[in-house]
Amino acid sequence: MVIFIRAVSSEWSFRPQHGTLMPHGGRPPHLESVQRFVEAILDRDVHIDMVINSAGIMACPETRVGPGWEAQFATNHLGHFALINRLRPILEGGARVISVSSAGHHISAMHWEDVQFTQGYEKWQAYGQSKTANALFAVHLDHLWKDSGVRAFSLHPGKILTPLQRYLTREEMVAAGWIDENGALADMTFKTPEQGAATQVWAATTPQLDGLGGLYCEDCDVAEIAADGDRSFKGVCRYAVDPEQAERLWNLSADLTGVGGRR
């Protein structure tokens, strides 16, 4: 097991029992750090059986990274897109790629007219778009690579209180009903981190998904397609698993990152 992280700090309490922490010195959209990581992995002459793309940020202030990319789209999608495409030689022959999306994809489809939010930034729309991108990435990746033995899935891990909420104020989380005025959990549908990891591990390992791909999962199962206009945030929106949208996103991502090739 190899864990690709920004840095190992003294505050990190987790250390893998059978694996390696690999600091890369930059956020995922810094393509140079992705390339350095991939070169280090390729030097090991190993085959990778599964990859879980889980790095992400949520509802941050407007931030530009790289050549002016909107930070949530870049961090949550483009970095993973570049990483997986560069890892392809050691995935072929049998692997699963897990793209951690979110029920937050219900907030927004792709903003094709302004993917980088240059005409006006709204943090939740940008987050929703990035999570839709995660699901679409799995759809087209699976379509392109399944004949090489690589299958891809996306998923909603559940609502979990973690540092993902670092950009939200207490007032915002109280207003959302997530916590109470004292900071205690108020929404009992939230999961523990261990419960939140369950669907990711399930999607990466379960034989129930053998021979399948391009699916969106939740609660250790394949999600149903949400009805148009359904605001329950259950299931997956049609636009997040639409093959034409997925191909369009792949081509845009290939143009932006210089990897993957237009398909």
Side-chain angles (χ1 to χ4, degrees), residues 69 78 81 248-263:
W69 298 334
L78 290 177
F81 178 87
R248 184 176 182 181
L249 176 64
W250 184 281
N251 289 334
L252 172 65
S253 305
D255 289 343
L256 291 172
T257 63
V259 298
R262 295 178 63 88
R263 306 293 175 88

Side-chain angles (χ1 to χ4, degrees), residues 13-241:
S13 59
F14 173 76
R15 295 292 186 276
Q17 290 183 329
H18 304 286
T20 304
L21 295 177
M22 294 192 67
H24 61 86
R27 293 181 180 179
H30 289 193
L31 300 187
E32 297 85 357
S33 66
V34 171
Q35 179 63 25
R36 289 196 300 271
F37 170 79
V38 170
E39 289 172 354
I41 293 295
L42 294 179
D43 284 345
R44 295 181 175 208
D45 192 26
V46 297
H47 175 79
I48 291 181
D49 300 304
M50 61 193 74
V51 179
I52 298 177
N53 290 325
S54 62
I57 55 177
M58 181 177 75
C60 62
E62 182 173 4
T63 306
R64 301 286 156 184
V65 298
W69 298 334
E70 189 278 312
Q72 295 189 80
F73 182 66
T75 302
N76 298 352
H77 168 63
L78 290 177
H80 299 310
F81 178 87
L83 173 66
I84 294 303
N85 273 282
R86 292 193 181 282
L87 287 176
R88 181 173 183 172
I90 55 175
L91 295 172
E92 291 182 333
R96 286 188 190 177
V97 175
I98 309 303
S99 181
V100 180
S101 179
S102 165
H105 82 271
H106 285 257
I107 298 171
S108 176
M110 294 298 301
H111 286 243
W112 292 118
E113 73 287 353
D114 187 21
V115 170
Q116 304 294 355
F117 286 86
T118 60
Q119 304 303 313
Y121 179 75
E122 202 290 310
K123 65 184 183 181
W124 286 111
Q125 287 290 308
Y127 178 68
Q129 173 183 253
S130 74
K131 295 292 101 179
T132 291
N134 291 150
L136 291 172
F137 174 46
V139 171
H140 204 59
L141 175 66
D142 189 79
H143 171 71
L144 292 176
W145 294 8
K146 61 184 178 183
D147 289 343
S148 299
V150 181
R151 307 309 302 256
F153 303 88
S154 63
L155 58 88
H156 171 49
K159 296 182 290 185
I160 312 151
L161 285 179
T162 70
L164 184 65
Q165 292 88 24
R166 63 173 61 88
Y167 296 110
L168 301 181
T169 65
R170 175 173 290 194
E171 290 74 20
E172 286 177 294
M173 290 190 282
V174 169
W178 298 351
I179 61 174
D180 62 24
E181 296 287 350
N182 298 315
L185 182 65
D187 184 343
M188 293 301 108
T189 65
F190 269 66
K191 296 181 178 182
T192 65
E194 292 79 7
Q195 291 168 335
T199 301
Q200 300 173 52
V201 175
W202 176 84
T205 62
T206 180
Q208 290 176 248
L209 295 178
D210 286 353
L212 302 174
L215 301 172
Y216 177 96
C217 305
E218 61 185 357
D219 294 328
C220 296
D221 202 353
V222 176
E224 296 183 356
I225 301 294
D228 293 341
D230 182 354
R231 300 303 298 166
S232 69
F233 280 55
K234 298 288 187 181
V236 59
C237 295
R238 294 181 190 277
Y239 58 70
V241 289

